[in-house]
Amino acid sequence: MSLSVAVQMDPIDAINPLGDSSFALMLEAQARGHTLSYYTPSTLAQRGNRVTARVHGVKVDDREKGLHFTLEDWQKTDLTAFDVILLRQDPPFDMNYITTTHMLELVHPQTLVVNHPREVRNAPEKILVTSFPELMPDTLITRDETEIRDFRAEFGDIILKPLFGNGGAGVFRIREGDENLGALLEMFNASFREPFMIQRYLPEVRKGDKRIILVDGKPVAGLNRIPAEGESRSNMHVGGRPELSELTPREHEICEIIGPELKKRDLIFVGIDVIGGYLTEINVTSPTGIREVKRFGGPDIAVMVWDAIESRR
């Protein structure tokens, strides 16, 4: 089976090919003999119900940055010309991102978009997780200062973060007695129009924030990320140390509960975050971890994702 595949992603010259999951998916597509193209979301255009983009044919090479791709000249292309589109631009999950999902929904399912654009739009990482309150730590979503202060009085040690943030940006730990809460709320109110997410701090994060990758609703690997000394965030780009990690019985239980819902929504490639047995996020926009899992001796998740895609085509 040879498929025509387009990848909607951030500029390919700016990615780190050694750690980029989109690049891993492109390498696997190319290895399977699929025709590979690439475009950035800024080139999308819609007239009526026709959606086009300025698309480059692309070849990828598993080498260091700068030598990892070659592009053909761009051509304005109707996106229904492709068999598969990978929706892979990184958040922020803002109105621009949401608009691209509306445009891609016009070509899906004639062209299979992965992940499903409507479900991506309806499943922001910090919102979808609230569908499973029994799996979450104590959580509040609001911008009401009284509610936030009452929550802080109840739990003492809390995490405050933007509802649509990503990569650990804007995540603050407010300990009991910390006098910075008022100033942080002023900053959040000035910076964000949306409500904020406030959660009970989980001290188990010192043992790691585990990213579990699910393909077609089934868990395939776990990557534990240990925060750096003096840091409450475990994201790898702020110094979190990754290590391959077997799933605990509790983590299997979480996956068994959420897996059917992910499959029903046709969310093929998903990454969830678990701290101390609590589900904290469900990442569906542009999940990561493929390269790290393989580098640490785990399975080749790109193979599994493409097996799932091909079964649909």
Side-chain angles (χ1 to χ4, degrees), residues 151-193:
F151 187 89
R152 195 254 189 113
E154 181 179 355
F155 295 105
D157 202 347
I158 62 171
I159 294 290
L160 174 67
K161 52 189 173 182
L163 191 59
F164 296 115
N166 66 289
V171 177
F172 292 89
R173 179 184 177 187
I174 308 294
R175 293 177 172 85
E176 189 169 8
D178 193 316
E179 297 178 350
N180 291 307
L181 179 59
L184 280 174
L185 291 178
E186 289 176 6
M187 183 181 72
F188 270 51
N189 276 303
S191 301
F192 308 110
R193 296 184 62 190

Side-chain angles (χ1 to χ4, degrees), residues 280-292:
T280 59
E281 290 191 16
I282 301 176
N283 300 275
V284 304
T285 49
S286 184
T288 60
I290 291 179
R291 299 286 263 179
E292 290 82 5

Side-chain angles (χ1 to χ4, degrees), residues 6 47 62 70 77 95 109 116 145 158 173 230 238 246 275 296:
R47 293 191 66 176
D62 200 6
T70 55
T77 306
M95 288 308 299
H116 193 306
E145 183 170 344
I158 62 171
R173 179 184 177 187
V238 294
E246 295 290 331
I275 300 174
F296 284 105

Side-chain angles (χ1 to χ4, degrees), residues 19 27 54 68 128-129 139 149 163 189 215 237 279 286-287 292:
L27 285 170
R54 293 201 303 272
H68 61 286
L128 179 57
V129 68
T139 299
R149 289 190 178 277
L163 191 59
N189 276 303
V215 176
H237 78 276
L279 179 66
S286 184
E292 290 82 5

